[in-house]
Amino acid sequence: MSLTDAQPDGAVPELSGAEIVIQALVDEGVELVFGYPGGAVLHIYDALFKQGSLKHILVRHEQAAAHAADGYARATGKCGVCLVTSGPGATNAVTGIATAYMDSIPMVVLTGQVPTPFIGSDAFQEVDTVGITRPCVKHNFLVKDVRDLALTIRKAFHIATTGRPGPVVVDIPKDVTDPNIKIPYVYPREIKLRSYNPVEKGHLGQIRKAVDLMLAAKRPVFYTGGGVVLGDGSAQLTELVKATGFPITSTLMGLGAFPMTDPQFLGMLGMHGTYEANMAMHETDVLIAIGARFDDRVTGKIEHFCPHAQIIHIDVDPASIAKNVKVDVPIVGQVASVLADMLRLYREQQPKSPANALNDWWTKIGEWRALNCLKYPANTTAIKPQFAVETLYKVTNGELYLASDVGQHQMFAAQFYPFDAPRRWINSGGLGTMGYGLPAAIGAQLAHPEAQVACISGDASILMCIQELATCQQYRLPIKVVLLNNGYMGMVRQWQELFYESRYSHSYVDALPDFVKLAESFGHVGMRIERPEDLEDAMREAFAMRDRFVFLDVIVDPTENVYPMIMAGKGHHEMQLSPSHSDRELA
Amino acid sequence: MRHIIAVLLENEAGALSRVAGLFSARGYNIESLTVAPTDDPTLSRMTLVTTGNDEIVEQIKKQLNKLIDTVKLVDLSEGDHIEREMLMVKVRAERPDREELKRLVDIFRAKIIDVTEVSYVIELTGASRKLDAFIAALPEGLIIEVVRSGPTGIARGSKGLTL
Ligand SMILES: Cc1cc2nc3c(=O)[nH]c(=O)nc-3n(C[C@H](O)[C@H](O)[C@H](O)COP(=O)(O)OP(=O)(O)OC[C@H]3O[C@@H](n4cnc5c(N)ncnc54)[C@H](O)[C@@H]3O)c2cc1C
Ligand SMILES: Cc1ncc(C[n+]2csc(CCOP(=O)(O)OP(=O)(O)O)c2C)c(N)n1
Ligand SMILES: [Mg+2]
């Protein structure tokens, strides 16, 4: 049943503000809303109760509502939607909004607000939501008149999903949703904002310049990022990389946009990237950056960044270009469109370049690869976290939607779980939000009910949104949590070991719960695995339970560190390899 | 380098705070900022003065353009332009000082717009440097209060910053 169904043909329905909110979401094609009720949104929740087209998922904390909407968006490419109340509801959601903002995730956040006459009076559960969220949204709105509601919601979706995507907050005072005030409802289809016109197609002259550089390159490399995933440019990217035969590396956010098991893929770059990817960056003469934003985790010391390269940068956001690094050929446009044009122009020119022109370059890369930079020590009696991720890969055939928390486990997953498709790897890169993983997995599982969804987490991160175990039970979500339990905030401990002479200040996680019992208390299956030889069978058993949520508490070596690593202030060519590499091998 | 940037903004609640927030969040310098509605009531025009090297100013302009409320933007310092700022200064004006003050007002083509037994309010419009010079020229100890609008600017020639 839809709120507008009862109308005779052609007649415009009269709806209250609360009904408009629901109907606008339905008309926008939204299937799922993640939310948590409260006073300021009670009219909306009542309208939600009375309809049947929009599904609402009740989370257990508003931060999780935002993360779940974000996870849903990353797993599908659609806009995530969440609904929270005023005051604490809105402030709880802020971490989730900022997380989405940093990674450019399309999301619409509806927040309740105190009634308009009370705004500014320090009313009960009043906060300046528009003010608080301003620095971490793409845009936000305060709707003061019910007649603006439908148009504002349409604008919010338009802004969130076009150009460089991002979260948009719509703050709705309670009186605007008054069930007794009904107005004619028409959902605007087309929208034009004179102040907002994101670029679609890239400038052909610039693309031609880029292609000329690429054809003349002796040591080219593609450096791709989250923008390729966000802009659904994976197919075009893969075709271009295949056509050129160039090596390719990706940021943490772009993993899977190009198949990671393909021999042309050098692994991730940056702080915990591979030796071969970072060396290729250092030696390249033509860098083709695509939907990546030259983050400090990626560039290393900026003075040492790509010292020999001419840089081509494709990005939909002009402000991303030349922000941190000078660029020779800027191209503003949507990845998919620009890459299609680039491929066409490249193919027109291609025959001029000899097929084996890159042999020397690939030979060099082969030498770097031979170092086997991800090599790690064999399991002793303890499970190595790297081995745990490799086993996970084996057991799931690399086909997971894998959400991650933040820490060492996140890096191990990025290094040892090669994704061959985009939107499978769901993690917080820009903000690095612990607590993101479990709710994001909820969003991904609801988006893909038949797919296998897992959350890789750490003993510290998982406790930051542990209440969502209840949500998983309520909606019978068969997610698998793979907890790499090292008893530490491993990433923090690693830095303290390396840079603070092993003074482990408050990074030891004392008083951990019994995760098996904890999972069971929420109605889930819990398993604890302590020995390397038990791991694969346990994982197989867990993933065979297709309709159950399983919490795998994997006890791993507490002292393992993430390598290789670019230390602070170093360049790509100065990577530190793990101690399991002999001194002779060290770069 | 000093840049004077003119921005056409949607005349929406909060547009000004988005600009101000952008400058503080990204640590950009802001020397002055003025804003008022235009002949089109749906648009405000803002003039802001900032300093920074070329890269920073380029980023500032891109970030300003990125704001959803920004309709158009021009860096006036890139071409021929005219800048004007308005100053009102309240000075002590007792008998012995009145003649000297009036002479200065004449020289600078300022105006006395309020008079009491003991004070004047003087108005002066011009380039910011002229205003500085006027303030410097006022006899010591007479200034009671200074208020300046911050510079506004417009490009020379027939082209306008309009929709
Ligand atoms: C513990 C930890 C360690 C980390 N270590 C590393 C590391 O070793 N290596 C690493 O790479 N990262 C690492 N990160 C992540 C890092 O912090 C950044 O989040 C990441 O590098 C940014 O990725 P990106 O450049 O792809 O940008 P994103 O944040 O994904 O930005 C996407 C870019 O693409 C553009 N874009 C968006 N949509 C489109 C479109 N349709 N068309 C064209 N352009 C578009 C955007 O404007 C933006 O510039 C780490 C994070 C954590 C938490
Ligand atoms: C909300 C939040 N607080 C603090 C941090 C800083 N931080 C980054 S990693 C980390 C430790 C994570 O520990 P755990 O979840 O156990 O993962 P591990 O590194 O041990 O795999 C911390 C505290 C953060 N990223 N997010
Ligand atoms: Mg840990």
Side-chain angles (χ1 to χ4, degrees), chain A residues 421-556:
Chain A
R423 303 201 173 281
R424 301 277 169 150
W425 170 234
I426 296 169
N427 82 133
S428 164
L431 200 66
T433 309
M434 290 169 70
Y436 174 78
L438 183 56
I442 291 175
Q445 184 73 78
L446 285 158
H448 303 291
E450 302 305 323
Q452 293 226 315
V453 176
C455 163
I456 188 152
S457 188
D459 41 303
S461 291
I462 195 68
L463 289 179
M464 285 211 182
C465 272
I466 194 70
Q467 75 287 342
E468 297 311 311
L469 288 178
T471 310
C472 294
Q473 180 59 12
Q474 177 169 348
Y475 298 96
R476 303 289 187 273
L477 302 178
I479 296 166
K480 311 292 179 278
V481 169
V482 179
L483 184 76
L484 299 189
N485 187 343
N486 53 10
Y488 278 101
M489 299 175 193
M491 188 54 95
V492 173
R493 191 201 53 71
Q494 173 167 350
W495 282 56
Q496 290 171 336
E497 178 185 328
L498 296 174
F499 309 120
Y500 297 88
E501 298 170 326
S502 299
R503 287 185 298 278
Y504 297 138
S505 180
H506 301 275
S507 57
Y508 175 64
V509 190
D510 204 350
L512 282 176
D514 177 334
F515 285 109
V516 172
K517 282 194 190 143
L518 181 69
E520 285 169 358
S521 75
F522 281 94
H524 300 309
V525 179
M527 295 164 81
R528 183 180 170 97
I529 303 114
E530 289 172 89
R531 298 188 310 171
E533 57 272 29
D534 297 338
L535 185 60
E536 185 173 334
D537 286 347
M539 280 187 174
R540 289 201 187 281
E541 190 188 335
F543 280 93
M545 290 186 242
R546 291 304 291 256
D547 55 351
R548 295 303 302 272
F549 182 105
V550 184
F551 195 116
L552 290 144
D553 182 15
V554 184
I555 310 301
V556 298

Side-chain angles (χ1 to χ4, degrees), chain A residues 152-279:
Chain A
T152 306
I153 293 176
R154 182 73 265 272
K155 281 186 190 170
F157 276 90
H158 176 62
I159 292 169
T161 55
T162 52
R164 178 178 185 167
V168 177
V169 167
V170 183
D171 199 26
I172 309 173
K174 189 168 184 180
D175 54 328
V176 170
T177 59
D178 188 336
N180 300 315
I181 301 172
K182 303 221 175 197
I183 62 156
Y185 167 83
V186 185
Y187 197 61
R189 304 225 167 272
E190 291 288 302
I191 183 130
K192 189 130 180 49
L193 296 174
R194 63 181 173 183
S195 61
Y196 173 72
N197 300 292
V199 180
E200 176 72 32
K201 271 185 81 65
H203 188 280
L204 279 179
Q206 290 293 94
I207 299 176
R208 193 163 283 125
K209 262 197 225 165
V211 168
D212 288 343
L213 274 183
M214 287 160 68
L215 286 164
K218 299 209 161 46
R219 299 184 307 279
V221 66
F222 285 105
Y223 146 49
T224 62
V228 182
V229 178
L230 294 164
D232 290 319
S234 200
Q236 292 82 351
L237 174 70
T238 306
E239 219 180 324
L240 181 67
V241 174
K242 288 281 143 201
T244 56
F246 295 176
I248 170 172
T249 177
S250 165
T251 67
L252 181 71
M253 304 316 291
L255 298 179
F258 180 84
M260 292 174 72
T261 54
D262 188 286
Q264 275 173 264
F265 191 69
L266 305 184
M268 180 171 83
L269 82 163
M271 180 175 278
H272 289 301
T274 64
Y275 182 70
E276 49 271 34
N278 286 325
M279 286 307 289

Side-chain angles (χ1 to χ4, degrees), chain A residues 164 225-226 251-252 269 271-272 291 293 298 315-316 320 334-335 429-430:
Chain A
R164 178 178 185 167
T251 67
L252 181 71
L269 82 163
M271 180 175 278
H272 289 301
R293 57 185 173 83
V298 164
D315 203 294
V316 74
S320 237
Q334 284 284 338
V335 268

Side-chain angles (χ1 to χ4, degrees), chain B residues 12-26:
Chain B
E12 299 271 352
L16 176 61
S17 59
R18 286 181 213 283
V19 174
L22 172 69
F23 275 74
S24 66
R26 294 192 181 264

